[in-house]
Amino acid sequence: MTEPIDGAAALRVTPLHERHAALGASFTDFGGWSMPVRYTSDLAEHHAVRTAAGLFDISHMAQFGVAGPDREAFLAYALAFDPAKLALSKAKYTMILAPTGGIIDDLIVTRNAEDQFLIVANAGNRDAVREALNDRREGFDAELIELDDALIAVQGPRAQEILEATAGLVHDDALAMGHTLDTLPYYTAMGMRFGDGAVLVSRTGYTGEDGFELSVDADDAGALWDAVRTAGEPFGLVPAGLAARDTLRLEAGMPLYGHELSLDIVPAQAGLGRVVPLKTKEADFVGRSALASVVATDAPVLVALVAEGRRAGRAGYAVLGADGERVGEITSGALSPTLGHPVAMAFVAPSASEPGTELFIDVRGNRIPATVTTLPFYKRNAK
Amino acid sequence: MTDLNSLKYTAEHEWVALEGDVATVGITDYAADKLGDVVYVDLPGVGTSVTANEVSGEIESTKSVGELYAPLDGEIVEINDAVVSDPSLVNSDAFGEGWLVKIKVDPAAVEALLDRAAYVALTDDDA
């Protein structure tokens, strides 16, 4: 999993790389990994996820196991969430903060066994997260193990049926933590048997559809990918790349580190203030004191913007007020494949952030009218 | 099916088909492939004068925006309304239905553009 593909580029590749190449994928460098950006067409892959299902290789993401007698106290200190509130099999979206309250990364933490936690972090922040976690481990009797397991996402309305039909992926009461695929709630995980090994199946995702993320031993990744693809074909499952992943998560209003989230902003600026349980979490944690003090009221806040037409404002484009004065900047934007109009997230001055506010986006010299709205842009039909 | 060998090409990945003194211009499948799904084309209006190697429009995909260079001096005599309404034609039929503009040109100037072999060599170097 860590072999570079050639001396010059020295990019890492996942256990599934050969399969992506065989499918004719175009690759891009993402966080030091050579990852598939598309297999056929961004739009086709995006639409497939919304109507059937898409299969994503996200093995470049960092996975850490946390164990040891002090694991809970360690995580309570190192991260924003309260592990005492996380029951067996449950997952939590949270953040690792700097002492300033700035965001080092956004993460998902799962209590995947009685004696363990699993942390999934962004590929681009692997080193920063590892370093911060190791620094914060000092004084706690806890282990941090960087895993080289693969991570595969199956996302879309047919995802559950596809996994239920996947040959070799078998229910096992000893691993299931009390769940079945059908009863597995959102943000919850269960173990399943695959061949001789196990797979951790989490009902989480980054697309706004129902779906699952599967953590599996690197040696079993290829067989699992193949089995899911075979089962998924009659349902319309297609492999989907990072381009589709980005338009899907944007429509679903989900932040992307390096765009909406960074060391330079505190969670409340990105609308994530309530993700940090300041009121109910007793333990001290890194960043707590910064967040507990008053945030400057003129700090930019993240808003959702919609526009008409087909010219989308993109990351870095200026957002202007009614008088043409600059009020902010787009962090992510695209012509929404599902909705058919431009959507964007932007940091703007609080005075311009009220839903309904009419602003403009500077699209390469053209002033395109845009309206502030609330996230998400797209919501799937509730089952 | 367009005979790709009968077309001329530019280093900016446009193709040119000359009929009399009117040149039909599009972008090549190589360029369309690199762009990804085209979602918007911004073309110069009919009657506009264009200058060779200068930006005359934009072609935008889901992920990026590419500049459209005029391959030759001339005057825009027609634009492809079909591609304006359905930009995906650039991906599905870059050399046919995905044509972009027709320019009234000096036919001699077309001679100086790249032939198929020279264009293919250029894209092989790029890869």
Side-chain angles (χ1 to χ4, degrees):
Chain A
M1 182 138 154
T2 61
E3 295 119 41
I5 45 171
D6 67 65
L11 290 176
R12 298 176 70 174
V13 292
T14 75
L16 300 168
H17 187 85
E18 298 296 312
R19 284 168 169 76
H20 306 319
L23 286 166
S26 302
F27 291 93
T28 190
D29 175 354
F30 192 94
W33 294 72
S34 177
M35 298 303 291
V37 67
R38 72 179 64 86
Y39 296 84
T40 55
S41 118
D42 306 356
L43 294 178
E45 292 163 27
H46 178 112
H47 293 312
V49 171
R50 294 259 180 261
T51 58
L55 183 62
F56 298 86
D57 176 10
I58 48 173
S59 303
H60 58 323
M61 297 188 76
Q63 298 182 75
F64 300 95
V66 181
D70 292 347
R71 62 194 176 284
E72 219 174 270
F74 158 51
L75 290 180
Y77 174 67
L79 306 180
F81 85 126
D82 190 354
K85 299 268 169 59
L86 197 66
L88 178 66
S89 82
K90 299 306 277 187
K92 187 82 178 69
Y93 175 74
T94 185
M95 289 164 282
I96 180 166
L97 304 174
T100 55
I103 303 170
I104 296 176
D105 201 14
D106 61 338
L107 318 160
I108 294 183
V109 185
T110 306
R111 193 189 291 262
N112 58 322
E114 289 286 1
D115 57 354
Q116 275 184 51
F117 289 89
L118 171 69
I119 300 175
V120 181
N122 283 301
N125 295 323
R126 179 185 290 266
D127 291 342
V129 170
R130 184 201 306 112
E131 205 177 293
L133 287 174
N134 273 323
D135 285 347
R136 297 171 191 196
R137 207 157 52 90
E138 190 148 334
F140 294 104
D141 185 0
E143 293 161 54
L144 182 73
I145 309 144
E146 190 161 351
L147 306 172
D148 66 0
D149 291 2
L151 197 57
I152 295 169
V154 186
Q155 300 281 311
R158 314 305 298 273
Q160 180 182 317
E161 294 166 83
I162 292 168
L163 289 187
E164 284 167 343
T166 297
L169 187 63
V170 174
H171 181 89
D172 184 333
D173 277 334
L175 301 173
M177 295 187 277
H179 305 294
T180 66
L181 277 173
D182 189 50
T183 63
L184 188 66
Y186 194 44
Y187 271 78
T188 312
M190 60 184 287
M192 296 186 76
R193 193 151 297 294
F194 182 71
D196 291 333
V199 181
L200 185 72
V201 179
S202 304
R203 199 173 212 127
T204 48
Y206 196 50
T207 62
E209 297 303 323
D210 185 29
F212 303 86
E213 295 176 315
L214 283 57
S215 181
V216 67
D217 200 274
D219 292 338
D220 295 329
L224 181 59
W225 174 276
D226 292 343
V228 174
R229 277 200 73 210
T230 302
E233 220 195 286
F235 293 96
L237 175 77
V238 298
L242 293 180
R245 189 168 164 78
D246 194 38
T247 46
L248 289 160
R249 69 95 191 167
L250 174 60
E251 288 181 343
M254 296 170 165
L256 173 62
Y257 194 89
H259 290 246
E260 289 70 45
L261 308 179
S262 74
L263 274 172
D264 298 330
I265 68 140
V266 297
Q269 288 176 266
L272 297 176
R274 40 166 193 81
V275 172
V276 185
L278 278 176
K279 291 199 180 111
T280 56
K281 180 177 176 180
E282 285 175 15
D284 185 29
F285 57 94
V286 180
R288 177 172 200 138
S289 51
L291 295 189
S293 44
V294 179
V295 174
T297 51
D298 59 356
V301 292
L302 193 68
V303 298
L305 293 171
V306 288
E308 290 172 23
R310 290 159 72 189
R311 313 195 74 166
R314 295 173 184 269
Y317 288 17
V319 181
L320 312 172
D323 301 336
E325 81 283 13
R326 187 185 168 109
V327 297
E329 188 174 301
I330 291 183
T331 52
S332 302
L335 178 61
S336 161
T338 296
L339 302 171
H341 58 74
V343 295
M345 295 197 258
F347 275 106
V348 302
S351 55
S353 66
E354 200 60 34
T357 306
E358 302 282 350
L359 299 170
F360 295 93
I361 303 173
D362 181 344
V363 180
R364 302 185 298 281
N366 304 290
R367 284 188 3 159
I368 309 285
T371 312
V372 177
T373 181
T374 52
L375 294 170
F377 301 103
Y378 164 87
K379 214 165 176 170
R380 72 171 194 260
N381 300 323
K383 281 209 174 154
Chain B
M1 225 12 248
T2 317
D3 174 13
L4 302 186
N5 290 310
S6 68
L7 303 175
K8 295 294 237 181
Y9 298 84
T10 70
E12 279 75 36
H13 307 289
E14 281 121 9
W15 56 264
V16 176
L18 186 66
E19 247 183 84
D21 65 352
V22 176
T24 305
V25 180
I27 66 165
T28 64
D29 54 354
Y30 177 86
D33 225 57
K34 290 235 144 173
L35 271 173
D37 292 312
V38 177
V39 295
Y40 187 85
V41 291
D42 181 23
L43 303 175
V46 171
T48 313
S49 281
V50 293
T51 309
N53 301 317
E54 285 189 8
V55 176
S56 60
E58 280 180 347
I59 180 159
E60 187 170 350
S61 71
T62 53
K63 298 316 291 175
S64 63
V65 185
E67 281 159 334
L68 222 44
Y69 293 89
L72 302 151
D73 290 344
E75 188 189 308
I76 304 288
V77 294
E78 201 182 326
I79 65 173
N80 186 357
D81 289 323
V83 88
V84 173
S85 326
D86 182 10
S88 74
L89 289 171
V90 174
N91 299 107
S92 58
D93 194 6
F95 294 103
E97 300 285 319
W99 70 270
L100 298 172
V101 295
K102 291 189 200 271
I103 314 179
K104 183 156 175 231
V105 297
D106 171 11
V110 178
E111 278 311 298
L113 300 177
L114 303 171
D115 63 11
R116 178 81 188 154
Y119 178 67
V120 169
L122 199 146
T123 56
D124 280 349
D125 285 343
D126 248 6

